[in-house]
Amino acid sequence: MFEFLPKEVREGLEAARKRDLKRKSRLRVHTDDEIFPVLRFWETGFALDAENAPHLRGLVDLYDGSRHLYQCLIVASDEDNGQMVYEFKRSTVAKDKAPLDFVRDVNAPIALLGN
């Protein structure tokens, strides 16, 4: 459909589409000292803007605004339509408290009240 438009108009539409995707998404990928906005996210990976994203590999953190969602081990898979696609090797949900190292008895009382 866009083949009949002049090159400048197509580039302008593509730039506007990328800008809109960046505004809509609150998801961010945090590496050691850099932050990249996520354009698309799905169960097995995510996509970043190919112009600004390096070929990331290794451990990254995925945030929704200021909330830490996942700690991910990723690898760059390919470039698709101006987006760099990354696949998860491992994706672990981030917890806000340490896991218990014992089994909690569900029938045990939580506290005992005194006289």
Side-chain angles (χ1 to χ4, degrees):
M1 179 171 116
F2 295 116
E3 297 85 28
F4 303 107
L5 295 174
K7 181 181 175 186
E8 294 82 17
V9 174
R10 282 184 286 170
E11 290 173 352
L13 287 172
E14 182 64 26
R17 186 183 66 80
K18 281 184 184 180
R19 188 174 56 244
D20 189 42
L21 283 172
K22 286 180 186 177
R23 279 192 202 144
K24 283 183 181 178
S25 177
R26 292 175 31 118
L27 294 176
R28 304 278 184 261
V29 172
H30 291 231
T31 61
D32 293 327
D33 56 348
E34 295 181 286
I35 300 173
F36 301 102
V38 175
L39 299 180
R40 292 185 299 134
F41 177 77
W42 57 95
E43 188 175 315
T44 60
F46 60 91
L48 304 177
D49 186 11
E51 293 176 9
N52 301 331
H55 285 276
L56 295 176
R57 183 181 185 102
L59 194 62
V60 297
D61 294 308
L62 191 63
Y63 284 84
D64 180 12
S66 63
R67 192 170 54 120
H68 191 193
L69 296 177
Y70 299 102
Q71 190 174 46
C72 311
L73 188 60
I74 62 166
V75 64
S77 63
D78 64 344
E79 187 173 337
D80 180 36
N81 202 13
Q83 296 179 353
M84 182 59 72
V85 177
Y86 298 91
E87 298 294 327
F88 295 136
K89 286 185 168 182
R90 175 184 63 86
S91 176
T92 306
V93 176
K95 301 285 185 183
D96 59 348
K97 57 185 174 181
L100 297 176
D101 61 348
F102 58 91
V103 176
R104 182 174 282 173
D105 186 10
V106 294
N107 295 328
I110 295 174
L112 297 175
L113 299 174
N115 291 346

